Amino acid sequence: MSGGAYVLIFDGLSDWEPAHALAELRRSGGMEVVSVGFTSEPITTMGGLRILPDTTLDAVDPVDMRILILPGGELWETAGPPDAVLELLGRAEAAGVPIAAICAATIAAARAGLLAARRHTSNGRDYLVAAAPTYAGADHYVEDALAVRDRGVITASGVGSVEFAREIMAELDVLDEASRAVWFDLFKHGVLPEPA
């Protein structure tokens, strides 16, 4: 299957949250990583990285995507998800494109209605209830998981970036199951792989 890993970028994004996933999608999955900005102007991440978007939100076509990744950041909690993001999430879901949201970006997934009938997680059920007035998925919230994957939607807590990456890799069939387990033990627990 063709298509790139599209990641939404914006001032103040939590740059560490999608990092493990993007590295493995590119390195092990052979995917192009495409940064999507609200405009074509450079952005500065929470960690101070300046990134020039490859494309803009209004130019994105879901047919080109293998996955759409939304990192966390204060944008989601302060301004809330812009209408253009909610519209893209709807188009991506309709096209069968997997969507991955971590930390505060789960607010956008909730407001777009993606969590109403799917198992999911975030930074807490009450966090979503407070931040997304239209959130209708409280009964499907999974309390004890740092990342959850359900029918093409991956959600994660802000402290679950390694779990987030593992679920994205599983969704896209990057590495086999045994290799993903070795990868997870290495990056989550510091367990070095057995010598070949």
Side-chain angles (χ1 to χ4, degrees):
M1 177 183 269
S2 62
Y6 280 60
V7 58
L8 187 66
I9 63 169
F10 48 89
D11 282 324
L13 79 88
S14 301
D15 40 13
W16 63 94
E17 291 176 345
H20 284 294
L22 294 174
E24 288 308 320
L25 293 180
R26 185 171 181 270
R27 185 176 71 97
S28 300
M31 289 176 215
E32 177 186 14
V33 172
V34 180
S35 58
V36 180
F38 290 105
T39 71
S40 58
E41 294 299 312
I43 64 95
T44 302
T45 70
M46 195 178 291
L49 293 174
R50 285 180 49 84
I51 303 173
L52 182 65
D54 295 314
T55 190
T56 57
L57 198 59
D58 61 353
V60 171
D61 186 340
V63 75
D64 299 323
M65 295 181 194
R66 183 82 189 276
I67 190 166
L68 175 60
I69 300 173
L70 277 63
E74 293 175 354
L75 163 77
W76 309 116
E77 296 174 336
T78 54
D83 290 343
V85 172
L86 299 179
E87 189 267 335
L88 178 59
L89 289 173
R91 288 192 299 127
E93 181 189 30
V97 174
I99 296 165
I102 184 169
C103 194
T106 57
I107 294 169
R111 288 192 181 177
L114 301 179
L115 310 183
R118 289 180 172 98
R119 294 173 61 250
H120 60 278
T121 195
S122 178
N123 295 333
R125 180 185 288 128
D126 292 343
Y127 173 80
L128 285 180
V129 168
T134 59
Y135 170 53
D139 290 343
H140 302 289
Y141 190 88
V142 180
E143 292 285 351
D144 57 351
L146 293 179
V148 173
R149 179 168 52 103
D150 187 357
R151 291 170 289 141
V153 173
I154 300 141
T155 52
S157 160
V159 295
S161 62
V162 177
E163 289 82 356
F164 184 60
R166 179 182 59 186
E167 294 303 324
I168 288 171
M169 289 190 288
E171 180 71 24
L172 300 179
D173 203 25
V174 172
L175 301 178
D176 59 43
E177 189 173 352
S179 297
R180 284 193 302 268
V182 169
W183 178 92
F184 182 79
D185 282 343
L186 175 63
F187 286 99
K188 184 67 177 183
H189 305 293
V191 177
L192 295 173
E194 294 290 327

